[in-house]
Every structure is written in C-alpha cells, then in structure tokens.
Amino acid sequence: MEEILEIRNLKKYYTKKKIFSSKSLVVKAVDDVTFSIKKGEVFVLAGESGSGKTTIAKLILKSIQADSGKIIFESQEIDEQKKNLQKIKMNCQMIHQDPYDSINPRMRIGDIISEPLEIHNTENKEQRMKRVIEVLQEVKLEPAKEIIGKYPHMLSGGQRQRVVLARALALKPKIIIADEPVSMLDVSIRAEMLELMKQLQTKYNISFIYITHDLATAKYFGQRIAILYLGKIVETGPINQVLESPKHPYTQALIDAISEPDPNNIHKVREIRIKEPTGKDISKGCRFKPRCPYAIKQCDVEPDLEKVGDKHFSACYVKLD
Ligand SMILES: Nc1ncnc2c1ncn2[C@@H]1O[C@H](COP(=O)(O)OP(=O)(O)O)[C@@H](O)[C@H]1O
Ligand SMILES: [Mg+2]
C-alpha cells in the first residue's frame, strides 16, 4: 500500500488569557505530531476530550493554519497555493460529530448534498442530481427521490448523520476524516452507522481517519491507531497490538477504563489509578507524568517514541508488559 497522506511535525498552540490575571496560558493543542496513512487504510486517532483530535483534523483540511509542520497529500506538500488547497478540499472530506454543525437546517437534503459538487463546479445540474440520488442510495436513505425534498428536522438523528456521510461521499473523496461520527447518536443505531461506513470504506477503498475516544469501535473499524495525550502521540501501531499489548501507561489506563474485568484473565487486569488532569499538566518532561503511577526521575526529560514491537512505538521510559 502506498502512502496517501503524511503529517509531519505538525504544531498548533493557542494562547489563552487567564481570567483575573495578566498572565496567559499556552495550550499546546497539537505538539509535534507525525503520522502517515496508506491508501485504503483506516487510521484511528484516539484520546480523551481536549487531546487535540479535532484540531489535527482542522489542520489537515486547512480550515485552520498550523504554527509549523507539513501536510503532504499524494507526495505533494499542501501549501497555501490555491490549486493545492483545492486539491485537499476536494479529496479529503470531513464528517463532524454533530450533524447539526455541518448541515444547514434551512436547506433541503438534495441541496445540502449537491452543495460541494456546486462549489467545486464539477458537473452540470442534471449530473449533480444524479450523483445526489446515487449517494443517498449508497447510504441507504430511500426512497431517495422523496428524501431530497425534505428538510433536516424531518429526519431522525441517524438519518441526518447518513446525510452528512452522503455529502462527504458526493465528490468521491480519497480520504474521509470522521470526527466522532457516532458519539451523538443513539447507542442502538451506532453499530449500523459504523457498519455502513465500513462497507463504503471497503467498497471504494477510501482512506479514513477515524477520530474517537471509544476504543471498542476503534478496534472494529481501524487497522492502525495513534493514542494522543495533550497534543502528543504517546503510542502508535497496529490496532490489535496496541490494544492487546499496550505499552504506555496512558493507553493501559484508557483500556482499563472501558474493559470489564475478565475472571479467567485476572492476572492481566491492571489497576492503574490515574489522577485527574490538573490543567497545568505540561510543566516539563513527560506530559503524562503528573498523572502517571510509574513516574521516575528520568521522566523530567520528555520521552520520544521508541520501537517496542513490530511497527509499534511508545513514548515511555518505563518498560511495562
Ligand atoms: N480556537 C481555540 N482557541 C483556544 N483553544 C483551543 C481552540 N481550539 C481548541 N483549543 C484547545 O486545544 C485543545 C485541543 O482541543 P481539540 O482539538 O478540540 O481536542 P479534542 O478534539 O481531542 O477534544 C483543548 O485544550 C482546547 O481547549
Ligand atoms: Mg473533538
């Protein structure tokens, strides 16, 4: 598989003014993040709220400017030239967490889906309508000819998220960034939506960046994963390897937080009691140190990602099994 997208040393810091103080706080939303995605691969970005997942998505789509770093799509750096921006915006589509964020409630479904086709001026009106019907059928919103005339409020939450998926598919993108696409949906329909995304991903060999804090769906959908902690990748590798044999204490804690203790596997159950984030977590050294039960003196110097297995990397000095 060839690489379709490369993200190199991406950084985005925000300066927040503190209330009741003249000092300001620097939030390292994305702090030197590097990863790449192959054609047709599903790459998962996982981490708690505030770890920088959405910021990475926005940086890739150039909807916000990076402080530094490179985005390389099909071996070409996406700089500020109009033709390059156009290229990434046509080939890389985003599905937002909240369908209400990305669809205009005053527009009919048919217009919502054909809008990206119009913006990129790719086809005439008749061809656009044909494509709209086609993608509505792809996402199993039928009868498509009825759906196109409806408004978003006439649909259920699950149907609206299918509209968002249809809109993302309209331009036949090579990459879809799905930012917690099922987290706002009713639990009962999450599996259906994920299954549909997986089917379409396989059928069209679309590369996906699947953003989630839910490791169970990550495992179902993804092939490789990166675990983000306060803007930095702390562990990355093949998804089964990372989730079955996590090496970073933060990854282990995330997994323990979701898994049911298995009585047959009692020796594997780790009791990691990580502390709550303090808000001033990044002092110096490892950013997980203030919450880490294994922290040692060496952790005052920030660890780099180191090889811990086949294509598996972790940024931790303490070698856990
Ligand atoms: N426009 C912004 N201004 C200031 N801080 C921001 C802005 N966007 C994001 N942040 C901060 O950057 C960090 C990462 O945010 P985000 O990428 O939304 O995380 P996630 O998607 O993983 O929940 C958070 O601390 C957030 O408060
Ligand atoms: Mg987010």
Side-chain angles (χ1 to χ4, degrees):
M1 279 199 288
E2 59 188 287
E3 237 109 68
I4 187 163
L5 183 73
E6 288 180 66
I7 278 82
R8 286 199 202 145
N9 308 103
L10 206 57
K11 268 191 198 176
K12 179 75 184 175
Y13 292 0
Y14 289 107
T15 311
K16 277 189 182 168
K17 276 218 91 48
K18 279 189 177 171
I19 310 170
F20 308 123
S21 159
S22 57
K23 286 188 189 152
S24 52
L25 177 79
V26 176
V27 177
K28 297 181 175 181
V30 176
D31 195 13
D32 200 5
V33 165
T34 296
F35 64 91
S36 60
I37 303 151
K38 294 184 168 53
K39 180 136 188 52
E41 182 179 43
V42 179
F43 185 80
V44 179
L45 274 178
E48 285 168 309
S49 174
S51 55
K53 306 183 295 297
T54 300
T55 306
I56 292 176
K58 288 179 179 167
L59 289 168
I60 294 172
L61 287 163
K62 295 277 175 177
S63 59
I64 54 172
Q65 278 271 354
D67 297 343
S68 58
K70 283 186 180 164
I71 311 281
I72 297 158
F73 173 68
E74 291 184 326
S75 307
Q76 190 176 17
E77 185 179 349
I78 302 299
D79 53 22
E80 298 311 312
Q81 285 183 65
K82 209 173 162 204
K83 69 172 198 317
N84 282 342
L85 292 175
Q86 173 99 346
K87 195 171 171 200
I88 195 83
K89 287 187 196 295
M90 277 188 78
N91 285 294
C92 186
Q93 297 294 319
M94 177 130 173
I95 298 175
H96 295 268
Q97 178 171 18
D98 183 352
Y100 274 119
D101 262 7
S102 40
I103 57 183
N104 185 336
R106 294 196 191 86
M107 278 167 74
R108 291 178 197 268
I109 304 303
D111 295 327
I112 290 171
I113 297 172
S114 74
E115 191 180 45
L117 298 168
E118 272 173 64
I119 292 172
H120 293 284
N121 223 350
T122 45
E123 290 157 323
N124 66 35
K125 199 170 176 194
E126 201 178 313
Q127 288 167 320
R128 284 201 298 267
M129 208 30 75
K130 195 167 154 256
R131 180 70 187 142
V132 169
I133 299 286
E134 218 169 69
V135 285
L136 278 170
Q137 287 164 344
E138 292 276 20
V139 301
K140 303 189 173 61
L141 273 176
E142 295 190 82
K145 289 212 161 89
E146 270 175 39
I147 301 275
I148 51 172
K150 296 197 175 189
Y151 287 94
H153 75 267
M154 298 159 90
L155 306 180
S156 70
Q159 286 176 319
R160 276 197 296 271
Q161 200 55 314
R162 282 170 197 252
V163 170
V164 175
L165 178 58
R167 183 182 150 103
L169 287 169
L171 280 166
K172 302 185 179 166
K174 294 180 179 169
I175 303 171
I176 290 181
I177 304 181
D179 190 357
E180 313 218 29
V182 299
S183 63
M184 304 278 282
L185 300 181
D186 216 70
V187 175
S188 59
I189 55 171
R190 279 184 197 172
E192 257 174 48
M193 184 70 193
L194 275 174
E195 171 71 32
L196 176 64
M197 282 198 316
K198 195 170 173 171
Q199 269 173 18
L200 292 167
Q201 186 274 324
T202 317
K203 184 169 172 191
Y204 295 109
N205 201 32
I206 305 168
S207 308
F208 257 76
I209 299 181
Y210 176 55
I211 294 178
T212 188
H213 56 265
D214 176 359
L215 297 179
T217 63
K219 200 167 175 178
Y220 170 78
F221 194 34
Q223 284 127 34
R224 275 193 312 131
I225 191 168
I227 308 285
L228 273 178
Y229 185 72
L230 295 179
K232 201 155 193 97
I233 295 178
V234 295
E235 184 159 2
T236 183
I239 205 153
N240 287 336
Q241 215 169 303
V242 171
L243 297 186
E244 279 157 30
S245 174
K247 298 295 181 215
H248 197 283
Y250 177 62
T251 314
Q252 297 191 346
L254 274 186
I255 293 168
D256 291 348
I258 57 153
S259 46
E260 298 276 323
D262 176 357
N264 299 320
N265 214 353
I266 201 81
H267 62 281
K268 277 201 171 171
V269 177
R270 284 174 299 266
E271 274 288 318
I272 300 182
R273 295 263 172 259
I274 60 170
K275 298 170 215 152
E276 287 302 309
T278 58
K280 43 181 180 184
D281 283 356
I282 311 174
S283 41
K284 61 176 178 130
C286 174
R287 60 198 64 205
F288 188 57
K289 187 182 63 175
R291 295 172 75 188
C292 184
Y294 305 108
I296 51 175
K297 185 84 194 93
Q298 207 179 350
C299 307
D300 287 344
V301 178
E302 180 156 69
D304 289 327
L305 283 168
E306 260 183 57
K307 201 166 191 291
V308 288
D310 190 25
K311 300 188 179 104
H312 183 177
F313 299 84
S314 165
C316 181
Y317 299 114
V318 183
K319 302 287 170 250
L320 304 170
D321 1 277

